[in-house]
């Protein structure tokens, strides 16, 4: 009985081993062939950090795609080895600590004392493990990292986020729908990326910018030659003089808030430009302009601007630098100060010109509650509804940037506004063309027009 | 000279930033300009601090109304500066337990952290919380149906507010979710208004802003608009 059972077990084991060999051989046979002629080269006319990998397509009806690998750089290998060594040593140290602590507890040592006494064993085990640790791959062997996955129809793949001038090897591995993978086919020579003199991806943006700037300059030149230009009335700017005049009549101050961003934000610069115009009107009316700022640089710039305005108005004696002062960089600290000041001093006119965030409504509502005439201007779309709801006049987006030119009334400044309008015409035309093309592409399923829409969206407007 | 030098600095820095956006070889220029700005801003911090002291010390010395608050501002300013600058009560870094100043100033449990967590944050949160009341009062004024535009605004706001609450879902829940009129359910209508009307309006504003930024930048770079230097004419 025992003999026949043993024989049966032996036969079953042999059959199972045979089955395993067949399955293994079947899997090996089903794996797609490795791609051939894998080559890599720097992508030209780009900002660098990108290499194009190419290979010959694999003929396999079950192919699901290609995994593209790149070699790790020496720096990345060192970092990975360091992490691996630390993890290995830490694990060994912890295991030794637990084992030694358990031994000590078994010997009758109190658990808290056992932990402390096991520390030495943990340190020694960690140090030994760190010395024993060896990298998983042999020295000189390429260490791969997955760079991306390509579709089965693709034979090229752009690997980006590379370090320029660093030599990389690339490997491509085919895989099928069953998950079988080919061996990695590597490039024969390493490749490195470099930045070109001009980034071709930015060419459309450059051309659009050149066209827009050219239009602005053309209209400035036309204006300088004396051709009259008609600019529509902007209610908010027409009300500036009225607001300053009201403050003068009431014997109260004009409050000017220049946003809460620094001078590297163009909204702040635009706000300072408008401050120059407002201060000049205030100087002529002999009104008091108070400018609390949330950035030191803005305070310095605002002082220069207001001083220049008083000078050009012929009232330099009336200029008081102490009315332009720094409060705090902190958003709500600034709001707390300005709101309190508004309630206490009740300025007759409040200007909010610059970049604002959550504080916009707090300031504007406080100004509304004290009955001040309020004019706001910002290029923060999310804050515009708050200003519209709480202020008397709001300069929306482009009006805010046009304000300085509008208030100056100088021909060349007004010419720039006309140039801006031409830019709007250009954008409008591109919009109409894009909408028409997208509609036609959707109706006709034309691949050519779809490619055109894609070019408009991703290349022309996508950079 | 006082006008010319800043104009040149502005023009050179601006042109460097523009060029660095298009020529990869000059990418470092933009970063250099940004670094210079950071250095300037750091120096200006001293100016800001000096100005803060000047303003509040004058208030205290002149016994102006509210001078007591100025003394509180200065006391808090110096206390925070002292605690932060001298790392008062900072726990040493575990790597260097014997070095008194090796810990982080804002490390958990340090006095600076305590000031931030239990004095600064509650104060700023209080200010931020006031926004809810201001939104209510502004909405009350904005949504008064005075004319056709205000009625449209009120109607849209009504749809959006209801569509984002459970009440809106319940009110129009009787409309079949997969029928031809599913778009009239308040939750779908509010999404439609936000995605179509709101996005379209926002994009129009953003295009205008982009053009305004390009035009203003050009005027500043070329020195056509010098009003930020106080010389508009």
């Amino acid at each position: 009985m025992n003999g026949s059972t043993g024989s049966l077990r032996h036969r079953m084991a042999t059959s199972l081993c045979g089955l395993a060999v067949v399955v293994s051989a079947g899997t090996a046979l089903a794996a797609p062939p490795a791609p051939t002629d894998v080559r890599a080269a720097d992508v030209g006319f780009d900002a660098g950090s990108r290499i194009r990998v190419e290979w010959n397509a694999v003929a396999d009806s079950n192919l699901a795609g290609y995994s593209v690998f790149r070699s790790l750089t020496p720096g990345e290998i060192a970092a990975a080895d360091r992490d691996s060594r630390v993890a290995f040593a830490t694990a060994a140290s912890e295991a030794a600590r637990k084992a030694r602590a358990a031994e000590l507890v078994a010997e009758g040592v109190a658990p808290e004392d056992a932990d402390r006494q096991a520390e030495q064993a943990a340190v020694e085990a960690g140090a030994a493990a760190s010395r024993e640790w060896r990298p998983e791959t042999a020295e000189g062997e390429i260490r791969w990292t997955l760079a991306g996955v390509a579709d089965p129809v693709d034979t090229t793949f752009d690997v980006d986020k590379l370090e320029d001038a660093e030599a990389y090897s690339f490997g491509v591995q085919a895989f099928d729908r069953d998950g079988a993978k080919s061996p990695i086919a590597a490039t024969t020579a390493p490749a490195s990326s470099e930045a070109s003199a001009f980034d071709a991806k930015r060419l459309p943006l450059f051309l659009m910018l050149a066209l827009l700037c050219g239009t602005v300059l053309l209209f400035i030149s036309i204006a300088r030659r004396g051709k009259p230009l008609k600019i529509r009335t902007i209610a908010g700017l027409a009300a500036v003089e009225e607001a300053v005049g009201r403050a003068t009549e009431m014997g109260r101050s004009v409050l000017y808030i220049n946003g809460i961003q620094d001078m590297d934000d163009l909204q702040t610069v635009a706000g300072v430009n408008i401050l120059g115009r407002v201060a000049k009107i205030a100087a002529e009316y002999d009104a008091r302009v108070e400018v609390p700022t949330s950035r030191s640089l803005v305070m310095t710039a605002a002082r220069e601007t207001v001083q220049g305005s008083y000078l050009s108005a012929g009232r330099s004696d009336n200029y008081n630098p102490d009315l332009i002062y720094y409060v705090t960089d902190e958003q709500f600290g600034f709001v707390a100060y300005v709101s309190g000041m508004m309630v206490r001093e009740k300025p007759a006119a409040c200007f909010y010109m610059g970049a604002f965030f959550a504080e916009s409504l707090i300031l504007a509502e406080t100004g509304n509650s004290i009955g001040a005439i309020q004019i706001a201007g910002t290029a923060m779309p999310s804050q515009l509804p708050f200003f519209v709801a709480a202020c008397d006049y709001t300069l929306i987006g482009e009006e805010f940037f046009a304000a300085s030119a509008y208030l100056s009334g100088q021909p060349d400044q007004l010419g720039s506004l006309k140039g801006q309008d031409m830019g709007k015409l250009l954008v409008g035309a591109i919009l109409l063309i894009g909408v028409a093309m997208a509609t036609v592409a959707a109706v006709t399923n034309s691949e050519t027009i779809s490619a055109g829409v894609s070019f408009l969206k991703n290349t022309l407007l996508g950079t | 000279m006082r006008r010319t030098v800043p104009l040149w600095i502005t023009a050179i820095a601006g042109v460097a930033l523009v060029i660095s956006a298009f020529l990869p070889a000059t990418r470092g220029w933009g970063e250099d300009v940004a670094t210079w700005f950071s250095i300037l801003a750091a120096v200006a911090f001293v100016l800001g601090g000096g100005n803060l002291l000047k303003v509040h010390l004058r208030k205290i010395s002149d016994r102006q109304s509210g001078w007591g608050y100025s003394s509180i501002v200065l006391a808090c300013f110096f206390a925070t500066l002292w605690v932060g600058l001298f790392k008062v009560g900072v726990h040493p870094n575990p790597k260097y337990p014997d070095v008194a100043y090796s810990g982080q100033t804002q490390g958990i449990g340090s006095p600076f952290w305590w000031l931030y967590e239990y004095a600064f944050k509650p104060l700023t949160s209080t200010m931020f919380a006031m926004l809810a009341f201001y939104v209510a009062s502004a909405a009350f004024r904005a949504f008064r149906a005075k004319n056709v535009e205000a009625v449209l605004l009120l109607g849209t706001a009504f749809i959006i507010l209801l569509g984002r609450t459970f009440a809106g879902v319940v009110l129009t829940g009787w409309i079949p979710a997969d029928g031809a009129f599913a778009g009239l359910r308040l939750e779908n209508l509010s999404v439609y208004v936000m995605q179509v009307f709101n996005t379209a309006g926002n994009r129009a504003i953003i295009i205008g802003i982009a053009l305004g930024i390009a035009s203003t930048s050009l005027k500043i770079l070329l020195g056509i608009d010098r009003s930020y230097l106080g010389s508009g004419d």
Side-chain angles (χ1 to χ4, degrees), chain A residues 47 197 202 217 273 280 296 303-305 308 322 325-327 330 332 365 404 410 416 420 424, chain B residues 2 21 23 27 44 48 51-52 58 120 128 134 137 141 215 219 225 227-228 230 232-233:
Chain A
R202 299 225 156 183
L217 291 176
N273 282 348
K280 191 173 175 188
S296 316
R303 279 183 174 175
E304 287 290 320
T305 306
D322 291 342
Y325 51 89
Y326 169 78
V327 179
E330 178 50 41
F332 289 108
E365 273 295 284
S404 177
Q410 294 164 6
S416 73
Q420 215 171 302
K424 260 190 282 181
Chain B
R2 210 174 158 198
L23 302 181
R27 206 162 27 189
N51 184 258
L52 187 90
R58 181 176 294 165
F120 181 79
F128 191 33
Y134 285 124
S137 66
R141 267 202 322 280
S215 174
K219 282 188 289 180
D225 191 349
S227 37
Y228 67 99
D233 303 324

Tab-separated table of all heavy atoms in Angstrom, chain A residues 47 197 202 217 273 280 296 303-305 308 322 325-327 330 332 365 404 410 416 420 424, chain B residues 2 21 23 27 44 48 51-52 58 120 128 134 137 141 215 219 225 227-228 230 232-233:
chain	number	residue	atom	x	y	z
A	47	ALA	N	14.351	73.114	-25.826
A	47	ALA	CA	14.998	73.722	-24.651
A	47	ALA	C	15.922	72.746	-23.938
A	47	ALA	O	16.354	73.007	-22.815
A	47	ALA	CB	13.924	74.225	-23.698
A	197	ALA	N	19.804	76.654	-29.734
A	197	ALA	CA	19.853	78.117	-29.651
A	197	ALA	C	18.453	78.703	-29.571
A	197	ALA	O	18.222	79.708	-28.899
A	197	ALA	CB	20.584	78.675	-30.868
A	202	ARG	N	8.360	77.387	-29.032
A	202	ARG	CA	7.906	78.729	-28.618
A	202	ARG	C	7.800	79.692	-29.794
A	202	ARG	O	7.490	80.870	-29.600
A	202	ARG	CB	8.877	79.286	-27.585
A	202	ARG	CG	8.933	78.434	-26.354
A	202	ARG	CD	8.877	79.269	-25.144
A	202	ARG	NE	8.368	78.518	-24.015
A	202	ARG	CZ	8.169	79.045	-22.831
A	202	ARG	NH1	8.431	80.296	-22.628
A	202	ARG	NH2	7.692	78.327	-21.855
A	217	LEU	N	3.341	99.299	-31.206
A	217	LEU	CA	4.346	100.304	-31.577
A	217	LEU	C	3.889	101.109	-32.791
A	217	LEU	O	4.120	102.320	-32.871
A	217	LEU	CB	5.687	99.623	-31.862
A	217	LEU	CG	6.393	99.019	-30.642
A	217	LEU	CD1	7.653	98.298	-31.055
A	217	LEU	CD2	6.723	100.102	-29.621
A	273	ASN	N	1.468	102.973	-11.344
A	273	ASN	CA	1.283	103.927	-12.454
A	273	ASN	C	0.024	104.764	-12.247
A	273	ASN	O	0.032	105.986	-12.415
A	273	ASN	CB	1.168	103.175	-13.780
A	273	ASN	CG	2.514	102.708	-14.296
A	273	ASN	OD1	3.544	103.120	-13.793
A	273	ASN	ND2	2.502	101.842	-15.280
A	280	LYS	N	-1.285	113.059	-8.771
A	280	LYS	CA	-1.153	114.360	-9.449
A	280	LYS	C	-2.457	115.148	-9.330
A	280	LYS	O	-2.445	116.358	-9.039
A	280	LYS	CB	-0.790	114.142	-10.919
A	280	LYS	CG	-0.379	115.419	-11.609
A	280	LYS	CD	0.142	115.170	-12.992
A	280	LYS	CE	0.423	116.501	-13.667
A	280	LYS	NZ	0.762	116.332	-15.070
A	296	SER	N	7.512	96.330	1.320
A	296	SER	CA	8.446	97.441	1.500
A	296	SER	C	8.835	98.077	0.166
A	296	SER	O	8.940	99.302	0.053
A	296	SER	CB	9.708	96.947	2.187
A	296	SER	OG	9.403	96.105	3.239
A	303	ARG	N	6.449	105.994	-2.991
A	303	ARG	CA	6.953	107.302	-2.530
A	303	ARG	C	7.575	108.071	-3.687
A	303	ARG	O	7.335	109.269	-3.851
A	303	ARG	CB	7.991	107.093	-1.426
A	303	ARG	CG	7.349	106.847	-0.086
A	303	ARG	CD	8.387	106.722	0.986
A	303	ARG	NE	7.745	106.632	2.286
A	303	ARG	CZ	8.393	106.429	3.416
A	303	ARG	NH1	9.695	106.271	3.411
A	303	ARG	NH2	7.742	106.367	4.551
A	304	GLU	N	8.381	107.361	-4.488
A	304	GLU	CA	9.014	108.002	-5.641
A	304	GLU	C	7.955	108.541	-6.598
A	304	GLU	O	8.031	109.661	-7.097
A	304	GLU	CB	9.884	106.985	-6.391
A	304	GLU	CG	11.166	106.616	-5.690
A	304	GLU	CD	12.164	107.768	-5.670
A	304	GLU	OE1	12.270	108.457	-6.681
A	304	GLU	OE2	12.797	107.978	-4.619
A	305	THR	N	6.949	107.699	-6.834
A	305	THR	CA	5.889	108.064	-7.784
A	305	THR	C	5.117	109.288	-7.309
A	305	THR	O	4.914	110.244	-8.066
A	305	THR	CB	4.917	106.872	-7.941
A	305	THR	OG1	5.679	105.739	-8.303
A	305	THR	CG2	3.870	107.127	-8.997
A	308	GLY	N	7.134	112.440	-7.443
A	308	GLY	CA	7.223	112.934	-8.827
A	308	GLY	C	5.940	113.620	-9.260
A	308	GLY	O	5.961	114.635	-9.961
A	322	ASP	N	5.428	110.519	4.805
A	322	ASP	CA	4.908	109.706	5.908
A	322	ASP	C	3.507	109.156	5.632
A	322	ASP	O	3.031	108.273	6.358
A	322	ASP	CB	4.873	110.538	7.202
A	322	ASP	CG	6.280	110.823	7.697
A	322	ASP	OD1	7.202	110.111	7.244
A	322	ASP	OD2	6.468	111.760	8.495
A	325	TYR	N	3.301	104.416	3.733
A	325	TYR	CA	4.024	103.654	4.751
A	325	TYR	C	3.743	102.157	4.638
A	325	TYR	O	2.770	101.729	4.019
A	325	TYR	CB	3.646	104.160	6.149
A	325	TYR	CG	2.164	104.222	6.383
A	325	TYR	CD1	1.482	103.141	6.884
A	325	TYR	CD2	1.439	105.383	6.079
A	325	TYR	CE1	0.115	103.193	7.071
A	325	TYR	CE2	0.076	105.445	6.265
A	325	TYR	CZ	-0.582	104.343	6.761
A	325	TYR	OH	-1.940	104.385	6.936
A	326	TYR	N	4.652	101.409	5.236
A	326	TYR	CA	4.567	99.947	5.226
A	326	TYR	C	3.786	99.478	6.451
A	326	TYR	O	4.005	99.991	7.553
A	326	TYR	CB	5.988	99.385	5.222
A	326	TYR	CG	6.087	97.906	5.479
A	326	TYR	CD1	5.800	96.991	4.466
A	326	TYR	CD2	6.483	97.418	6.715
A	326	TYR	CE1	5.901	95.633	4.698
A	326	TYR	CE2	6.590	96.061	6.953
A	326	TYR	CZ	6.292	95.169	5.942
A	326	TYR	OH	6.404	93.828	6.174
A	327	VAL	N	2.920	98.496	6.238
A	327	VAL	CA	2.134	97.964	7.357
A	327	VAL	C	2.646	96.573	7.739
A	327	VAL	O	3.241	96.374	8.784
A	327	VAL	CB	0.626	97.925	7.020
A	327	VAL	CG1	-0.172	97.347	8.181
A	327	VAL	CG2	0.123	99.307	6.675
A	330	GLU	N	1.856	90.395	5.865
A	330	GLU	CA	0.830	89.391	6.138
A	330	GLU	C	-0.544	89.869	5.664
A	330	GLU	O	-1.012	90.948	6.032
A	330	GLU	CB	0.811	89.102	7.642
A	330	GLU	CG	-0.223	88.119	8.093
A	330	GLU	CD	-0.225	86.834	7.289
A	330	GLU	OE1	0.859	86.318	6.970
A	330	GLU	OE2	-1.333	86.356	6.974
A	332	PHE	N	-3.832	89.096	6.145
A	332	PHE	CA	-4.930	89.502	7.010
A	332	PHE	C	-4.508	90.517	8.076
A	332	PHE	O	-5.352	91.228	8.612
A	332	PHE	CB	-5.615	88.274	7.620
A	332	PHE	CG	-6.401	87.527	6.578
A	332	PHE	CD1	-5.970	86.313	6.099
A	332	PHE	CD2	-7.535	88.088	6.031
A	332	PHE	CE1	-6.663	85.648	5.108
A	332	PHE	CE2	-8.246	87.439	5.031
A	332	PHE	CZ	-7.807	86.213	4.572
A	365	GLU	N	-16.176	96.133	1.252
A	365	GLU	CA	-17.383	96.232	2.067
A	365	GLU	C	-17.199	97.224	3.215
A	365	GLU	O	-18.126	97.953	3.572
A	365	GLU	CB	-17.762	94.853	2.628
A	365	GLU	CG	-18.622	94.037	1.689
A	365	GLU	CD	-19.981	94.655	1.445
A	365	GLU	OE1	-20.862	94.587	2.309
A	365	GLU	OE2	-20.143	95.251	0.345
A	404	SER	N	-3.669	103.875	-16.771
A	404	SER	CA	-2.584	104.864	-16.728
A	404	SER	C	-2.531	105.664	-18.026
A	404	SER	O	-2.411	106.891	-18.013
A	404	SER	CB	-1.260	104.151	-16.469
A	404	SER	OG	-0.211	105.065	-16.483
A	410	GLN	N	-1.935	111.312	-22.985
A	410	GLN	CA	-0.872	111.552	-23.968
A	410	GLN	C	-1.114	110.715	-25.220
A	410	GLN	O	-1.513	109.555	-25.124
A	410	GLN	CB	0.485	111.181	-23.365
A	410	GLN	CG	0.884	112.072	-22.223
A	410	GLN	CD	2.006	111.455	-21.400
A	410	GLN	OE1	2.551	110.420	-21.743
A	410	GLN	NE2	2.334	112.102	-20.312
A	416	SER	N	-1.051	103.190	-27.693
A	416	SER	CA	-0.826	101.815	-27.237
A	416	SER	C	-2.150	101.101	-26.981
A	416	SER	O	-2.280	99.899	-27.200
A	416	SER	CB	0.025	101.815	-25.966
A	416	SER	OG	-0.730	102.270	-24.875
A	420	GLN	N	-3.563	97.693	-28.630
A	420	GLN	CA	-4.148	96.607	-27.822
A	420	GLN	C	-5.465	96.134	-28.445
A	420	GLN	O	-5.752	94.941	-28.469
A	420	GLN	CB	-4.413	97.165	-26.438
A	420	GLN	CG	-4.213	96.191	-25.310
A	420	GLN	CD	-4.289	96.919	-23.982
A	420	GLN	OE1	-3.526	97.843	-23.732
A	420	GLN	NE2	-5.211	96.523	-23.144
A	424	LYS	N	-6.811	92.519	-29.835
A	424	LYS	CA	-8.079	91.856	-29.550
A	424	LYS	C	-8.745	91.360	-30.839
A	424	LYS	O	-9.334	90.287	-30.878
A	424	LYS	CB	-9.024	92.830	-28.836
A	424	LYS	CG	-9.042	92.605	-27.354
A	424	LYS	CD	-10.127	93.389	-26.690
A	424	LYS	CE	-9.735	94.834	-26.527
A	424	LYS	NZ	-10.747	95.640	-25.859
B	2	ARG	N	18.501	110.347	-12.023
B	2	ARG	CA	17.624	109.655	-11.082
B	2	ARG	C	16.515	108.894	-11.820
B	2	ARG	O	15.932	107.949	-11.306
B	2	ARG	CB	17.014	110.688	-10.145
B	2	ARG	CG	16.714	110.101	-8.795
B	2	ARG	CD	16.246	111.146	-7.843
B	2	ARG	NE	15.494	110.492	-6.784
B	2	ARG	CZ	14.682	111.109	-5.988
B	2	ARG	NH1	14.497	112.405	-6.113
B	2	ARG	NH2	14.039	110.466	-5.054
B	21	ALA	N	12.909	83.589	-22.100
B	21	ALA	CA	11.738	82.735	-22.342
B	21	ALA	C	11.823	82.044	-23.697
B	21	ALA	O	11.201	80.998	-23.898
B	21	ALA	CB	10.461	83.576	-22.268
B	23	LEU	N	15.039	81.849	-25.749
B	23	LEU	CA	16.346	81.281	-26.076
B	23	LEU	C	16.826	80.424	-24.904
B	23	LEU	O	17.168	80.959	-23.841
B	23	LEU	CB	17.364	82.393	-26.370
B	23	LEU	CG	16.998	83.360	-27.505
B	23	LEU	CD1	18.108	84.385	-27.688
B	23	LEU	CD2	16.759	82.611	-28.809
B	27	ARG	N	18.523	80.905	-20.519
B	27	ARG	CA	17.532	80.598	-19.487
B	27	ARG	C	17.984	81.095	-18.109
B	27	ARG	O	17.188	81.518	-17.294
B	27	ARG	CB	17.306	79.091	-19.449
B	27	ARG	CG	15.968	78.687	-18.947
B	27	ARG	CD	15.612	77.284	-19.316
B	27	ARG	NE	16.766	76.423	-19.512
B	27	ARG	CZ	16.712	75.194	-20.015
B	27	ARG	NH1	15.569	74.700	-20.377
B	27	ARG	NH2	17.785	74.452	-20.152
B	44	ALA	N	14.857	95.544	1.185
B	44	ALA	CA	13.713	96.433	1.429
B	44	ALA	C	12.973	96.069	2.708
B	44	ALA	O	12.276	96.907	3.280
B	44	ALA	CB	12.765	96.381	0.240
B	48	GLY	N	11.220	98.429	5.414
B	48	GLY	CA	9.857	98.247	5.923
B	48	GLY	C	9.825	98.232	7.436
B	48	GLY	O	9.006	98.900	8.061
B	51	ASN	N	10.470	101.626	8.787
B	51	ASN	CA	9.288	102.492	8.625
B	51	ASN	C	8.224	102.174	9.662
B	51	ASN	O	7.600	103.082	10.227
B	51	ASN	CB	8.738	102.313	7.205
B	51	ASN	CG	7.579	103.234	6.937
B	51	ASN	OD1	6.448	102.830	6.971
B	51	ASN	ND2	7.879	104.510	6.719
B	52	LEU	N	8.061	100.882	9.915
B	52	LEU	CA	7.075	100.455	10.919
B	52	LEU	C	7.424	101.061	12.287
B	52	LEU	O	6.557	101.608	12.984
B	52	LEU	CB	7.078	98.927	11.009
B	52	LEU	CG	6.003	98.300	11.872
B	52	LEU	CD1	4.773	98.014	11.040
B	52	LEU	CD2	6.494	97.003	12.494
B	58	ARG	N	6.489	107.341	16.540
B	58	ARG	CA	5.989	108.722	16.475
B	58	ARG	C	4.607	108.822	17.110
B	58	ARG	O	4.309	109.754	17.839
B	58	ARG	CB	5.942	109.183	15.023
B	58	ARG	CG	5.461	110.630	14.912
B	58	ARG	CD	5.495	111.129	13.500
B	58	ARG	NE	6.852	111.221	13.000
B	58	ARG	CZ	7.163	111.358	11.720
B	58	ARG	NH1	6.215	111.385	10.821
B	58	ARG	NH2	8.410	111.472	11.329
B	120	PHE	N	-0.831	84.007	16.183
B	120	PHE	CA	-0.939	84.512	14.824
B	120	PHE	C	-2.090	83.859	14.043
B	120	PHE	O	-2.929	84.543	13.455
B	120	PHE	CB	0.407	84.277	14.124
B	120	PHE	CG	0.464	84.756	12.724
B	120	PHE	CD1	0.660	86.094	12.442
B	120	PHE	CD2	0.315	83.879	11.670
B	120	PHE	CE1	0.703	86.540	11.143
B	120	PHE	CE2	0.358	84.318	10.368
B	120	PHE	CZ	0.558	85.651	10.106
B	128	PHE	N	-10.246	86.280	8.484
B	128	PHE	CA	-10.734	85.558	7.304
B	128	PHE	C	-12.202	85.162	7.494
B	128	PHE	O	-13.001	85.214	6.553
B	128	PHE	CB	-9.856	84.323	7.081
B	128	PHE	CG	-10.084	83.650	5.755
B	128	PHE	CD1	-10.430	84.381	4.625
B	128	PHE	CD2	-9.926	82.281	5.619
B	128	PHE	CE1	-10.631	83.778	3.400
B	128	PHE	CE2	-10.125	81.657	4.394
B	128	PHE	CZ	-10.483	82.414	3.296
B	134	TYR	N	-19.319	89.502	5.216
B	134	TYR	CA	-19.215	90.494	4.138
B	134	TYR	C	-19.814	89.952	2.838
B	134	TYR	O	-20.428	90.696	2.077
B	134	TYR	CB	-17.765	90.894	3.926
B	134	TYR	CG	-17.233	91.816	4.994
B	134	TYR	CD1	-16.108	91.493	5.731
B	134	TYR	CD2	-17.872	93.020	5.261
B	134	TYR	CE1	-15.627	92.337	6.709
B	134	TYR	CE2	-17.409	93.869	6.240
B	134	TYR	CZ	-16.278	93.526	6.971
B	134	TYR	OH	-15.822	94.370	7.937
B	137	SER	N	-23.561	90.414	3.135
B	137	SER	CA	-24.048	91.795	2.959
B	137	SER	C	-23.875	92.260	1.514
B	137	SER	O	-24.736	92.944	0.964
B	137	SER	CB	-23.325	92.744	3.920
B	137	SER	OG	-21.961	92.831	3.596
B	141	ARG	N	-26.975	93.252	-1.348
B	141	ARG	CA	-27.072	94.461	-2.188
B	141	ARG	C	-27.076	94.122	-3.677
B	141	ARG	O	-27.839	94.666	-4.456
B	141	ARG	CB	-25.880	95.385	-1.896
B	141	ARG	CG	-26.152	96.412	-0.850
B	141	ARG	CD	-25.216	97.598	-0.966
B	141	ARG	NE	-23.871	97.210	-1.340
B	141	ARG	CZ	-22.966	96.724	-0.509
B	141	ARG	NH1	-23.307	96.530	0.767
B	141	ARG	NH2	-21.752	96.400	-0.905
B	215	SER	N	0.871	94.746	-23.481
B	215	SER	CA	0.981	96.158	-23.880
B	215	SER	C	1.652	96.993	-22.782
B	215	SER	O	2.552	97.797	-23.062
B	215	SER	CB	-0.424	96.682	-24.184
B	215	SER	OG	-0.385	98.041	-24.435
B	219	LYS	N	5.279	99.020	-22.889
B	219	LYS	CA	5.399	100.461	-22.609
B	219	LYS	C	6.422	100.720	-21.507
B	219	LYS	O	7.193	101.681	-21.572
B	219	LYS	CB	4.031	101.032	-22.192
B	219	LYS	CG	3.110	101.258	-23.366
B	219	LYS	CD	1.862	101.984	-22.955
B	219	LYS	CE	0.958	101.131	-22.126
B	219	LYS	NZ	-0.257	101.768	-21.700
B	225	ASP	N	5.816	104.506	-20.773
B	225	ASP	CA	5.055	104.817	-19.563
B	225	ASP	C	6.033	104.878	-18.387
B	225	ASP	O	6.572	103.858	-17.969
B	225	ASP	CB	3.995	103.740	-19.319
B	225	ASP	CG	3.006	104.146	-18.238
B	225	ASP	OD1	3.271	105.161	-17.552
B	225	ASP	OD2	1.971	103.473	-18.092
B	227	SER	N	5.243	106.550	-15.481
B	227	SER	CA	4.540	107.118	-14.323
B	227	SER	C	4.934	106.426	-13.023
B	227	SER	O	4.809	107.001	-11.956
B	227	SER	CB	3.028	107.062	-14.533
B	227	SER	OG	2.672	105.896	-15.190
B	228	TYR	N	5.434	105.183	-13.087
B	228	TYR	CA	5.863	104.524	-11.844
B	228	TYR	C	7.116	105.183	-11.270
B	228	TYR	O	7.497	104.931	-10.133
B	228	TYR	CB	6.110	103.029	-12.079
B	228	TYR	CG	7.275	102.720	-12.978
B	228	TYR	CD1	8.497	102.367	-12.441
B	228	TYR	CD2	7.154	102.794	-14.362
B	228	TYR	CE1	9.576	102.084	-13.261
B	228	TYR	CE2	8.214	102.516	-15.181
B	228	TYR	CZ	9.424	102.159	-14.633
B	228	TYR	OH	10.484	101.890	-15.442
B	230	GLY	N	7.230	108.423	-11.289
B	230	GLY	CA	6.728	109.745	-10.915
B	230	GLY	C	6.940	110.777	-11.989
B	230	GLY	O	6.950	111.971	-11.720
B	232	GLY	N	5.237	111.146	-15.293
B	232	GLY	CA	4.308	110.765	-16.327
B	232	GLY	C	4.385	111.576	-17.577
B	232	GLY	O	3.982	111.157	-18.643
B	233	ASP	N	4.902	112.763	-17.472
B	233	ASP	CA	4.884	113.644	-18.641
B	233	ASP	C	6.188	113.560	-19.413
B	233	ASP	O	7.204	113.180	-18.887
B	233	ASP	CB	4.636	115.077	-18.195
B	233	ASP	CG	3.335	115.163	-17.410
B	233	ASP	OD1	2.398	114.429	-17.767
B	233	ASP	OD2	3.272	115.918	-16.434
